[in-house]
Amino acid sequence: MSLQTNLTAAIQNFIQTIYNEKIDKIDFQATRKEFEGEVTVVLFPLLKITKSNPNELGVKIGNFLTEHIKEVESYNIVSGFLNLKITDGYYLDFFYTIKDNAHFGFVLPETNQKTVMVEYSSPNTNKPLHLGHVRNNLLGFSIAEILKASGKNVNKTQIINDRGIHICKSMLAWQKYGNGQTPENSGLKGDKLVGNFYVKFDQEYKSQIAKLIQEGKTEEEAKKQAPLLLEAQQMLLDWEAENPKILNLWSTMNSWVYNGFSETYKNLGVDFDSYYFESNTYLLGKEVVQFGLEKGVFEKDPDGSVWIDLTNEGLDRKIVLRSDGTAVYMTQDIGTAIQRVKDFPNVGGMVYTVGNEQDYHFKVLFLILKKLGFDWAENLYHLSYGMVELPSGKMKSREGTVVDADDLMKEMTTTAGKIAEELGKLEGYSEQEKAKLYTIIGLGALKYYILKVDPKKQILFNPEESVDFAGNTGPFIQYTYARIQSIIRKADFNLNVICKNLKLHEKERDLLKQLELFPETIQLAAQNHSPALIANYTYDLVKAYNSFYQSVSILGEENSDKKVFRVQLSEKVGVTIQKAFGLLGIEVPNRM
């Protein structure tokens, strides 16, 4: 039973006995650093029930707790707050309870626990992954790992947007201007090759628009009448009509892209348990639209397009099927959600990791699924996140101004190597060891820089800043982990002993209090779908460790019990850093 549970029960018992009143909840908070104590009881909610003043009530409860709860050593009262000083024995008992617990902080899923599907990445097969996809993948992967650690069964999934007008644009441009290029004969990754033709389409399309405007068309007319766009629209109709030639081209170019994506995912360190393809799920979506028409959920306009009217819910009318019978994104997303529940009947929720420009889309999607009568629609969550921008501004795929994910990872590795060399931290390393370390540091810097920010906030990405070896950065935390491993390697004595009769140093207590927060932080991160809580917890743990490291002697300590305990404490901090960083998808090096 936790200390807070014991304190709650004791205070409830005290209120019941002395004041004959029942109280359900006691408010606790961590004691502020300027006051003595570790746990603070907020007295204000109790004043009305007890009809007493804060000082009088604080003294009574404080005396009761010091007398009846062995872990409470003393107390003080400051402005309506009862600060409790907890005994060293409590923290030492806590430490030796978790010391060899490999699952500390993690909760194993219960039998028959429902599965949460976490969707992320969900790329289009007309371009390579870019910086925006990097944030998406890192967020989705991390949330999946955090949910698992909190006790959920998780299925990592993605929907690959492999059809539609944007895919046809790349296909058409390759047909017209590709001259038979393939990944093999061009030396390009398949996703990059296809992406080049998406950019080429946009260039040629703009050229045609400009020509039509010169011939007297309005800009709006020119955009609709440009021959290249009309050909792409016809290609989409041919694809949906299963034209063999178009399907063969589509299959070939998509296979190039999938090979490219696989390489990027591997380098980024993310994976998936299941895959869905829009080319399959949009058909189910079209069937559901027909079902919704029969139920009166949807309505058909005179031109044959199908809509849903959500004005009574404060939203707008939303199209779910075009007048020519082709599907829109909403059609596909309806079909995908339903297909997932068919494939995994034990689904207890879905998390969609998609940028905040799609907030409205997901409000509509979730509402449509509820109106169609699916009870599981109550457990859908949109993990909305802000865009990643560069100092130069917003990226645009069709204009070729994106930061390619592969190029970014290479740049981060190069930057990490440059800074590590300048700091002179690599003495005695082979070139192979250096290369591996640069990758661990570079990717750690990238992932931490992105994940330490609340998902809802926009990020202005600065590669140089992210690889700083000081401050709230991945390399700073990785360096502390490596420092701890160095201490453990040098400890030439038995660490499998228990040292409980110690007077704890203030910095040791601070470290133990931070370790105690790890399980709670995982649960909060899962509830809030926020890896930032894990990232910043880890930074706080590392700050506490470095303060401890600078304030006390570890291997040089003369008292053998203190020396053993401090190495044991260091080791547990290292394990916790490794586990926390694992939830963020970040590796930690044993040497730096």
Side-chain angles (χ1 to χ4, degrees), residues 322 378 526:
R322 295 188 187 98
E378 296 290 337

Side-chain angles (χ1 to χ4, degrees), residues 32 35-36 40 43-44 54-55 76-83:
R32 289 168 58 176
F35 304 120
E36 187 179 42
T40 294
L43 297 172
F44 298 109
N55 199 61
N76 62 84
I77 302 160
V78 181
S79 305
F81 296 92
L82 173 62
N83 303 320

Side-chain angles (χ1 to χ4, degrees), residues 105 142 317 390:
S142 182
R317 288 182 87 232
L390 299 163

Side-chain angles (χ1 to χ4, degrees), residues 456-514:
K456 293 180 178 62
K457 293 183 180 176
Q458 188 169 305
I459 293 177
L460 187 66
F461 185 70
N462 183 327
E464 289 277 350
E465 188 179 288
S466 72
V467 191
D468 197 337
F469 277 73
N472 190 6
T473 67
F476 172 69
I477 293 169
Q478 288 171 322
Y479 183 68
T480 300
Y481 176 84
R483 168 184 279 169
I484 290 169
Q485 302 318 300
S486 175
I487 290 169
I488 294 166
R489 285 193 295 272
K490 292 173 184 173
D492 57 351
F493 44 83
N494 182 15
L495 293 176
N496 296 315
V497 294
I498 295 175
C499 312
K500 281 197 175 181
N501 297 317
L502 296 174
K503 173 70 178 168
L504 290 176
H505 189 281
E506 173 193 359
K507 299 299 182 182
E508 292 169 332
R509 290 172 72 91
D510 288 344
L511 254 187
L512 289 164
K513 285 189 283 184
Q514 192 63 27

Side-chain angles (χ1 to χ4, degrees), residues 126 164-179 194 197-198 200-202 204-205 208 226-236 238 246 249-250 253:
N126 63 332
I165 192 70
H166 50 295
I167 309 299
C168 291
K169 288 175 180 178
S170 295
M171 290 164 58
L172 183 63
W174 183 88
Q175 256 188 350
K176 286 180 169 294
Y177 316 111
N179 297 317
V194 173
F197 287 103
Y198 184 59
K200 178 67 174 174
F201 179 94
D202 189 63
E204 296 296 329
Y205 176 51
Q208 289 184 357
L228 209 55
L229 178 64
L230 296 177
E231 285 185 78
Q233 289 171 338
Q234 182 57 49
M235 183 177 273
L236 177 59
D238 290 343
I246 299 301
L249 174 62
W250 169 77
M253 292 182 71

Side-chain angles (χ1 to χ4, degrees), residues 128-156:
L129 303 176
H130 56 61
L131 177 54
H133 290 113
V134 169
R135 187 177 197 189
N136 182 298
N137 276 273
L138 297 183
L139 269 175
F141 178 84
S142 182
I143 282 300
E145 293 299 312
I146 290 167
L147 287 170
K148 274 199 276 188
S150 76
K152 306 288 187 192
N153 284 322
V154 173
N155 183 288
K156 301 171 185 171

Side-chain angles (χ1 to χ4, degrees), residues 413-485:
T413 299
T414 302
T415 303
K418 179 183 168 189
I419 293 174
E421 293 277 9
E422 287 172 358
L423 293 173
K425 295 181 180 294
L426 303 171
E427 208 172 304
Y429 277 61
S430 69
E431 289 305 312
Q432 189 176 359
E433 287 172 327
K434 284 182 182 180
K436 185 178 180 183
L437 182 63
Y438 296 162
T439 300
I440 291 173
I441 296 172
L443 283 180
L446 169 66
K447 293 179 181 185
Y448 188 82
Y449 194 90
I450 286 175
L451 292 174
K452 74 177 180 179
V453 179
D454 183 282
K456 293 180 178 62
K457 293 183 180 176
Q458 188 169 305
I459 293 177
L460 187 66
F461 185 70
N462 183 327
E464 289 277 350
E465 188 179 288
S466 72
V467 191
D468 197 337
F469 277 73
N472 190 6
T473 67
F476 172 69
I477 293 169
Q478 288 171 322
Y479 183 68
T480 300
Y481 176 84
R483 168 184 279 169
I484 290 169
Q485 302 318 300

